[in-house]
Amino acid sequence: MSLGKSIYELTNLFTIYRWNNRPALLRFTEADNVFHSLILDLISIEYLNKKGYNLPISSNIKAKIFKELPKIILSDVSLDTKKRILEKDEKMWKMVLKKSYDELKENKIVQFFESDYDIKFKKYAQFIDLMVSLKEMEINSRIFPEYFEGPKQETEKNLRKLRLNLEHINELESILNYVLKTSTRLTTMYRWNKNHRNVKSSVSSHTFMVVSTAIIFYYLDNRNNDKLLDEIIIASILHDFPEAFTGDVITPTKKKVKGLENIISTIEEEMIEEWLKRDEDTILIFERFKKYMINPFDNEYGRYVRASDLFNAMLECAIEIKSGNSQILFREAFFNMKKELKQFNFDFIYELIDEIEKLTFFN
């Protein structure tokens, strides 16, 4: 399987909806869910490092993505079903995961993410995954308590157990809840909003793809610079976070009148500052991250983030075209972004673009 096709298959997580056997007010896709865990993982690592933990960013973020890759094959298995499988035969579930990873060996992206959580961070990562699941349940249980109250109570119970063994968890959890309340807005924002979509992608699911692809681009470019990889990951995770405040102002609107783009950037910065000032603990954690939110495409790390952002916008166009969406917009955008991507002069980009083009128009 070509690398381009492997990246294309990662977009399967756009169409795997969680809690699919229950009515829901808001459905998170697997891609949405991973994004929220990634941003909370990043914040937790920063917080714990300020407490002297010395946790690496890149290996822990890659470990989260690696953990989710079997869902490309398995789709979503609910927490309740998975729990019951583990109770009946834990070895059986481990065999299912092993077989899935074996199948994924044909998928070339696996090699870029194979990583384990730092032992000191693993339980925090489990706590964060449960927090994100609980957020989904809390939203939906307001309308459908008869379907969500049971799993909600079970998740709250599991969170209470984990809290007993996690240092600094009260202050950290407060920060994470503050951020999650805001990042959830990105799941309700759909890209290409004024156009019909056959396969919808939210800002949060798009961000998950940008993070994943930016990591792949870093390795394809044969870089060996841990600080650069960390910066690429931070900027990728946060590059669209300001849209939680401003909404999705599309590029043609920003460029409609000279100077409007600069005004919007100023507004983004003002809104971020106002949001941070409303929570003193959060502002301390974000002091290092703020520049990556406001200027995600600056400096060396920005080349990878911007290229990944464009590549995934092109990929979204490819999905629409391949699914039979006949709007000319998606064809025009596909070829405009193809042209723009080639200007980055990454040696690997030409072959990837060709692979996506063949998948879109000739398969």
Side-chain angles (χ1 to χ4, degrees), residues 66-319:
F66 184 69
K67 177 174 169 279
E68 300 302 316
L69 293 180
K71 289 179 180 174
I72 296 171
I73 294 169
L74 297 176
S75 189
D76 181 42
V77 179
S78 72
L79 288 173
D80 186 46
T81 302
K82 192 187 299 182
K83 178 188 171 188
R84 289 169 184 251
I85 293 170
L86 289 168
E87 285 172 354
K88 291 182 184 298
D89 194 333
E90 187 174 346
K91 287 183 180 177
M92 181 74 72
W93 181 248
K94 287 181 178 177
M95 285 172 62
V96 169
L97 288 178
K98 184 181 182 304
K99 280 201 162 192
S100 299
Y101 279 115
D102 287 343
E103 287 179 49
L104 280 167
K105 283 179 182 173
E106 288 185 29
N107 187 313
K108 292 190 175 182
I109 62 171
V110 174
Q111 62 183 306
F112 300 105
F113 300 106
E114 193 162 358
S115 183
D116 291 321
Y117 286 119
D118 189 292
I119 192 67
K120 293 178 287 186
F121 186 64
K122 191 170 184 177
K123 286 197 179 297
Y124 288 95
Q126 291 171 354
F127 187 87
I128 286 163
D129 287 349
L130 287 171
M131 275 189 73
V132 174
S133 292
L134 183 62
K135 173 58 78 173
E136 299 173 52
M137 294 177 219
E138 284 176 339
I139 292 168
N140 288 311
S141 67
R142 295 169 197 171
I143 306 297
F144 302 108
E146 67 272 34
Y147 293 103
F148 286 93
E149 198 55 40
K152 179 170 168 280
Q153 289 177 7
E154 179 69 19
T155 303
E156 287 170 339
K157 179 182 172 183
N158 290 331
L159 283 166
R160 284 196 296 272
K161 284 181 185 174
L162 280 171
R163 276 191 198 99
L164 297 173
N165 299 307
L166 296 176
E167 293 182 317
H168 315 294
I169 194 58
N170 290 335
E171 184 179 52
L172 175 57
E173 187 176 6
S174 173
I175 295 167
L176 296 180
N177 273 317
Y178 185 68
V179 174
L180 183 57
K181 185 169 70 173
T182 301
S183 68
T184 299
R185 297 179 190 178
L186 301 177
T187 296
T188 62
M189 289 173 56
Y190 289 103
R191 288 168 53 78
W192 313 87
N193 191 31
K194 67 186 180 71
N195 300 282
H196 170 73
R197 297 282 305 278
N198 289 334
V199 181
K200 290 184 178 180
S201 53
S202 65
V203 174
S204 55
S205 61
H206 164 79
T207 303
F208 155 71
M209 286 296 298
V210 172
V211 177
S212 303
T213 310
I215 290 170
I216 292 170
F217 284 3
Y218 166 85
Y219 286 114
L220 288 177
D221 205 31
N222 297 311
R223 302 308 302 264
N224 186 21
N225 182 333
D226 291 343
K227 182 177 182 295
L228 175 60
L229 179 56
D230 283 354
E231 288 193 301
I232 289 168
I233 287 170
I234 295 166
S236 298
I237 290 173
L238 297 174
H239 83 283
D240 274 341
F241 194 77
E243 290 185 14
F245 310 105
T246 62
D248 183 13
V249 184
I250 59 175
T251 300
T253 299
K254 289 179 182 177
K255 296 185 180 298
K256 192 70 71 180
V257 176
K258 187 177 179 181
L260 179 60
E261 194 167 6
N262 290 334
I263 289 174
I264 291 169
S265 294
T266 302
I267 291 169
E268 285 179 349
E269 191 167 352
E270 287 172 355
M271 287 179 162
I272 289 166
E273 289 286 358
E274 289 166 10
W275 176 74
L276 289 172
K277 284 175 183 175
R278 287 197 289 270
D279 190 274
E280 290 181 6
D281 295 327
T282 303
I283 198 169
L284 293 173
I285 299 305
F286 271 85
E287 62 186 354
R288 185 165 77 92
F289 292 159
K290 194 166 61 174
K291 70 175 184 179
Y292 299 103
M293 284 194 284
I294 296 165
N295 298 304
F297 305 140
D298 278 2
N299 303 317
E300 191 176 8
Y301 63 81
R303 288 180 67 236
Y304 296 88
V305 180
R306 181 57 178 155
S308 179
D309 189 36
L310 284 168
F311 183 83
N312 281 287
M314 187 183 78
L315 206 55
E316 289 166 12
C317 293
I319 292 167

Side-chain angles (χ1 to χ4, degrees), residues 8-23:
Y8 190 95
E9 285 201 349
L10 194 57
T11 64
N12 286 349
L13 300 186
F14 285 174
T15 54
I16 302 175
Y17 287 93
R18 293 165 57 80
W19 303 100
N20 207 26
N21 64 341
R22 289 171 167 84

